[in-house]
Every structure is written in structure tokens, then in C-alpha cells.
Amino acid sequence: DVKVTQSSRYLVKRTGEKVFLECVQDMDHENMFWYRQDPGLGLRLIYFSYDVKMKEKGDIPEGYSVSREKKERFSLILESASTNQTSMYLCANGDQYGYTFGSGTRLTVV
Amino acid sequence: GNSVTQMEGPVTLSEEAFLTINCTYTATGYPSLFWYVQYPGEGLQLLLKATKADDKGSNKGFEATYRKETTSFHLEKGSVQVSDSAVYFCALVGRFSGGYNKLIFGAGTRLAVHP
């Protein structure tokens, strides 16, 4: 089975900090995605990538950037964390036959 | 545009009751359809899928049939258990502008099953 690993389950950061959320896949999938999940808003796509060094904005990219230097790793970067970025962040990979999700990182910005 | 609409929750049922969670979609072309489940404190897991019209996806007693004529993919289970308590997400994947595949989710439906 494809495995998607997010490096942290829980993070607490201060306002203004630069935050890195890491995601690693153990298969050779080209497609990787970052979502955030908030109560009442469901899952919203932040960024996605279809190949190394390639990235595309999703529906809510403001305040975020991404990095994909290697195929197996897709990082989400909060350039200057703010309290409204407190959320559950989910990484996924896959294609039209299905996506595999990581366990999620619950980020709290104080 | 492309979207997924599913019934609002929470859905509260007694154990062994019949479950239906409605899901309808709007999409161009022929998207693949999915149900994902999220148990408390965990990430999303693929529950079942269907990739073409009239396909039936099934897993763990859950079923859903891809109905192109009604653009629906309703989730059903004949007898729910307490362990089925979770949030269920309907989703689709299709080729959108730029030729990319994107997974679009519904808002999720929380199911609570009581003994």
C-alpha cells in the first residue's frame, strides 16, 4: 500500500514564525497535494504538484508556498504564520483512481 | 464549475439502522467518484470508489452506485455499527482546466451511531 507520512501530528508555533510542514510518500507518484481542513468548511486545496519543482495554486494559496525538490517530498511553507492558519493540514498523493492521505498535522498558531 | 454537494449532518442513528448519505455532483466529462471516511483524530481513508457510470463501489458493508443520469453517488449501509461513527466525505476527480486531475470534496457528513 502507498504510504504518505507527515512529519508531525501536532505543532504549536508563534505568530510570525516561518513554519515547514513536511510530507513524504514511499511510492513513485507524481501527484501530491496539500489541503487544510476546518470545521464547517470541509477540505480546501492549498497547493498541488505534478512533478519535481512544479507547483500549482489550489483554491486558497494565500499565505502559503510549497517546495518539491525531490519526487517523494512535498513541503508546505507558512512564510509568516498567523492565527487564522490554525488548522488541520492534510497531505495526499494519487491520481484519478484514488488519493492516499497522511494522518494530518494539527497546527496551532498562538 | 465542478462541485460536490452532500447532505448536512449530523446524522444520528441507532445501531443496526439503515444508513443513506446523499451525494450529488456537478462536473464536466466523466469524473471518478469516491467516498472517504475520517475517524476521530485520524486522516482520511478511502472507503470506496467508482470510475464509470453504473459502477458500484463497495467496502466494509458500505455501497454506492455511480448514477450519471441523476449525477449522484449516495452512500448506503444496511446495518450500521457504533464503530461506523465518523465523518464521511464524498469526492470526485476529474480533468479540469490545464489538464490536471484534482480531488474535489463535499463538506462532509458526520455520522453518530448509538448502541
Side-chain angles (χ1 to χ4, degrees):
Chain A
D1 285 347
V2 176
K3 192 169 183 181
V4 177
T5 302
Q6 294 182 233
S7 53
S8 304
R9 288 299 300 272
Y10 300 94
L11 277 178
V12 180
K13 298 292 182 180
R14 295 192 180 278
T15 300
E17 275 193 78
K18 189 169 186 175
V19 181
F20 293 85
L21 302 183
E22 305 289 347
C23 176
V24 177
Q25 60 161 336
D26 66 354
M27 293 291 286
D28 203 30
H29 273 288
E30 294 176 340
N31 309 330
M32 296 188 77
F33 306 83
W34 275 105
Y35 291 85
R36 65 177 281 178
Q37 183 179 19
D38 300 288
L41 296 176
L43 285 94
R44 294 178 291 169
L45 181 63
I46 306 171
Y47 266 96
F48 57 101
S49 169
Y50 287 98
D51 204 347
V52 175
K53 297 190 185 294
M54 178 274 179
K55 60 185 179 184
E56 288 287 335
K57 292 179 180 179
D59 301 317
I60 51 163
E62 297 77 21
Y64 303 94
S65 63
V66 290
S67 173
R68 188 134 182 233
E69 296 295 320
K70 295 183 178 180
K71 199 170 192 176
E72 66 270 20
R73 187 179 297 271
F74 189 39
S75 303
L76 180 68
I77 304 162
L78 287 65
E79 297 291 342
S80 177
S82 64
T83 55
N84 64 12
Q85 292 178 310
T86 291
S87 186
M88 169 70 88
Y89 291 87
L90 294 165
C91 176
N93 74 353
D95 54 27
Q96 66 268 35
Y97 303 109
Y99 285 28
T100 299
F101 283 82
S103 298
T105 297
R106 185 167 293 283
L107 172 67
T108 302
V109 182
V110 298
Chain B
N2 302 286
S3 65
V4 176
T5 302
Q6 60 182 103
M7 62 188 288
E8 288 189 28
V11 174
T12 303
L13 295 173
S14 298
E15 207 165 22
E16 299 184 3
F18 185 86
L19 168 71
T20 299
I21 300 178
N22 290 336
C23 171
T24 57
Y25 68 91
T26 302
T28 55
Y30 302 93
S32 297
L33 301 174
F34 304 85
W35 278 100
Y36 282 84
V37 59
Q38 186 177 34
Y39 298 103
E42 298 185 13
L44 273 71
Q45 301 173 25
L46 178 64
L47 180 60
L48 53 83
K49 66 181 180 183
T51 56
K52 61 183 187 296
D54 300 324
D55 267 2
K56 177 186 281 188
S58 61
N59 186 24
K60 299 181 182 180
F62 291 89
E63 293 183 340
T65 301
Y66 190 144
R67 302 285 189 200
K68 188 164 175 59
E69 64 275 12
T70 54
T71 62
S72 65
F73 193 54
H74 304 321
L75 182 68
E76 297 181 336
K77 186 174 186 182
S79 177
V80 293
Q81 306 300 311
V82 172
S83 57
D84 293 326
S85 298
V87 180
Y88 292 82
F89 293 92
C90 185
L92 67 82
V93 168
R95 293 190 74 81
F96 302 113
S97 61
Y100 301 121
N101 289 313
K102 283 177 25 175
L103 187 63
I104 305 295
F105 285 95
T109 302
R110 182 175 300 278
L111 170 66
V113 181
H114 299 289

